[in-house]
């Protein structure tokens, strides 16, 4: 029986590796990227978390490798150790199935650089994966010889830019083989990335996966108003009522992450904290503990959380609507993977209405929810007023009368109806006088 990846004409060992992973069908990004990489095109790929992007570039690049040449052929950069390690694990799994040795090496900060230099003096790897700082250190010391490599991948380019590593990646790219192939993958393509793309890419093909169906159908996508509520109390209630297997709570800044995590810890929850302000060694330790499921609750920023890739995430809570709305997809995409059920909860205030409307226009539907009497219950549609049909389309809206009626409901006093009637009569008199003056 023909395997779904066989039409890509990949080496037999790669098909065997795919079978071991359990891929049954190529994803949209794989269908679009693999044939173009094989043609030698430079590619700018934009896709969401969990789209299969990693194998979209690893498979066709491994297909081009020549194991008989003991030289660097592929260089892949990632902005964090955690992401670099994920890429390394995926690449190593492919290499294991090759009859000829394919040497894949990982180079990240916080590891023994002298030992790495010693190993490189004996043998250069075929595939190099690492963080920009460590890779550049090894390249500038002439320990890692990347001038032979015709293929370079910049993964998570927007995060690379945000974390200040684009200059290092620029220097790495400048030392690559001339007329090589450049692949850049990113969740978003910020304007500040454009000079780098123009400098190193030749007539790149832009590939973007259609994000209309941005949330897995196994995910319950809830929307809860924070108006008149304490946000931390609300998050605590959601965590303790929902019985999550593993919950990710997102905030937009490291300061907000610290505030939320500290408040939850005071309430007795065992919370992991992940953001760019945490020293790299400590962050790596926390990431390892999260992978080992030592924590049930994780509070994180968007960029730092990219290193958390666990299938068992049952709940995602957006403590804030993300400042970059594209990140909404990446947050929610952490749960509901591989047809597992998941719950995504977005907390919003009056100032977030416009952002929620934009997210809905992207094809995302929310279920309004609330917490009452210790239970999560269905709530009202926040747009219900806009959907009502006016009883009398000819009647005009009088803000003065409306204000008086609203006030009267709160504090009904004798004679309030007479006051409203008096206002009506006075308005009619003014209208008649205006009309008469106009006629005069």
């Amino acid at each position: 029986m023909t395997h779904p990846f066989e039409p890509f004409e990949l080496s037999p060992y790669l098909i065997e590796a795919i079978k071991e992973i359990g891929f049954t069908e190529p994803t949209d990004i794989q269908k679009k990227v693999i044939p173009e990489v094989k043609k030698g095109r430079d590619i700018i790929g934009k896709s969401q978390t969990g789209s299969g992007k990693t194998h979209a570039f690893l498979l066709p690049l491994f297909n081009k490798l020549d194991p008989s040449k003991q030289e660097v052929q592929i260089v892949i950069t990632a902005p964090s150790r955690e992401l670099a390690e994920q890429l390394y694990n995926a690449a190593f799994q492919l290499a294991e199935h090759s009859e000829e040795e394919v040497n894949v090496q990982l180079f990240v900060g916080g590891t023994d650089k002298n030992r790495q230099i010693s190993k490189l003096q004996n043998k250069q790897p075929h595939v190099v994966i690492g963080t920009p700082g460590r890779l550049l250190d090894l390249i500038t010391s002439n320990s890692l010889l990347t001038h032979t490599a015709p293929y370079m991948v910049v993964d998570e380019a927007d995060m690379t830019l945000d974390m200040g590593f684009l200059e290092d990646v620029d220097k790495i790219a400048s030392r690559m083989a001339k007329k090589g192939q450049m692949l850049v993958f990113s969740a978003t393509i910020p304007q500040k990335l454009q000079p780098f793309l123009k400098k190193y890419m030749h007539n790149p093909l832009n590939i973007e996966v259609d994000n209309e169906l941005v949330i897995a159908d196994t995910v319950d996508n809830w929307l809860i108003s924070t108006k008149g509520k304490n946000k931390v109390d609300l998050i605590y209630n959601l965590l303790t009522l929902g019985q999550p297997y593993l919950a990710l709570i997102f905030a937009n800044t490291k300061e907000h992450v610290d505030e939320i995590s500290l408040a939850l810890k005071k309430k007795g929850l065992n919370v992991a904290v992940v953001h760019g302000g945490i020293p790299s060694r400590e962050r790596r330790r926390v990431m390892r503990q999260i992978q080992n499921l030592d924590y049930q609750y994780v509070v994180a920023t968007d960029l730092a959380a990219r290193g958390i890739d666990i299938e068992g995430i049952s709940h995602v809570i957006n403590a804030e609507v993300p400042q970059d709305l594209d990140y909404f997809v990446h947050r929610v995409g952490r749960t509901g993977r591989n047809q597992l059920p998941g719950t995504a909860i977005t907390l919003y205030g009056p100032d977030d209405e416009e952002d929620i409307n934009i997210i809905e226009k992207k094809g995302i539907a929310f279920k309004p929810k609330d917490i009452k009497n210790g239970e999560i219950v269905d709530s009202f549609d926040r747009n219900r007023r806009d959907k009502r049909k006016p009883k009398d389309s000819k009647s005009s809206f009088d803000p003065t009368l409306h204000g008086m009626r609203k006030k009267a409901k709160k504090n009904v006093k004798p004679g309030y109806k007479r006051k409203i009637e008096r206002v009506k009569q006075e308005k009619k008199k003014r209208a008649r006088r205006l009309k008469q003056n106009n006629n005069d």
Side-chain angles (χ1 to χ4, degrees), residues 87-281:
L87 289 170
Y88 171 77
N89 290 334
F92 185 78
Q93 190 268 345
L94 297 181
E96 273 191 315
H97 286 265
S98 175
E99 289 184 8
E100 295 181 81
E101 184 193 11
V102 174
N103 189 341
V104 181
Q105 292 295 322
L106 175 69
F107 300 106
V108 296
T111 53
D112 190 337
K113 186 165 73 171
N114 290 329
R115 189 176 170 208
Q116 290 170 348
I117 290 171
S118 178
K119 279 182 73 175
L120 287 168
Q121 286 172 349
N122 296 324
K123 188 190 247 185
Q124 292 288 309
H126 296 110
V127 182
V128 171
I129 299 169
T131 48
R134 177 52 60 91
L135 287 178
L136 187 60
D137 275 353
L138 295 172
I139 292 167
T140 52
S141 67
N142 289 322
S143 302
L144 182 63
L145 308 176
T146 56
H147 66 277
T148 57
Y151 311 116
M152 181 172 181
V153 181
V154 181
D155 198 19
E156 306 290 0
D158 54 349
M159 186 177 174
T160 301
L161 175 69
D162 286 337
M163 294 181 76
F165 297 144
L166 192 62
E167 188 178 341
D168 287 350
V169 173
D170 190 325
K171 290 175 181 175
I172 294 167
S174 69
R175 292 171 176 255
M176 298 284 292
K178 302 301 178 188
K179 297 182 181 180
Q181 186 177 9
M182 172 83 74
L183 310 176
V184 174
F185 292 88
S186 191
T188 58
I189 309 294
Q191 190 59 39
K192 289 182 179 179
L193 199 58
Q194 294 298 333
F196 174 85
L197 301 178
K198 287 177 182 175
K199 183 176 179 181
Y200 291 107
M201 305 191 83
H202 173 68
N203 192 24
L205 178 67
N206 284 279
I207 294 178
E208 183 172 353
V209 172
D210 185 8
N211 283 348
E212 280 304 304
L213 290 172
V214 285
I215 296 177
D217 55 13
T218 55
V219 174
D220 274 331
N221 191 39
W222 298 351
L223 188 67
I224 297 179
S225 172
T226 59
K227 191 174 180 180
K229 300 169 186 169
N230 179 290
K231 186 179 284 187
V232 171
D233 288 344
L234 186 54
I235 293 170
Y236 175 80
N237 288 334
L238 288 168
L239 293 174
T240 51
L241 285 171
Q243 297 295 318
Y245 177 72
L246 177 63
L248 266 179
I249 302 108
F250 284 99
N252 292 339
T253 66
K254 59 186 178 184
E255 290 79 15
H256 288 173
V257 166
D258 286 337
E259 288 170 16
I260 293 167
S261 59
L262 183 62
L264 291 175
K265 285 176 183 177
K266 284 181 178 177
K267 289 178 176 288
L269 297 185
N270 186 23
V271 179
V273 181
V274 183
H275 61 62
I278 295 172
S280 55
R281 181 169 291 181

Side-chain angles (χ1 to χ4, degrees), residues 27 131-133 367:
T27 64
T131 48
K367 295 176 186 175

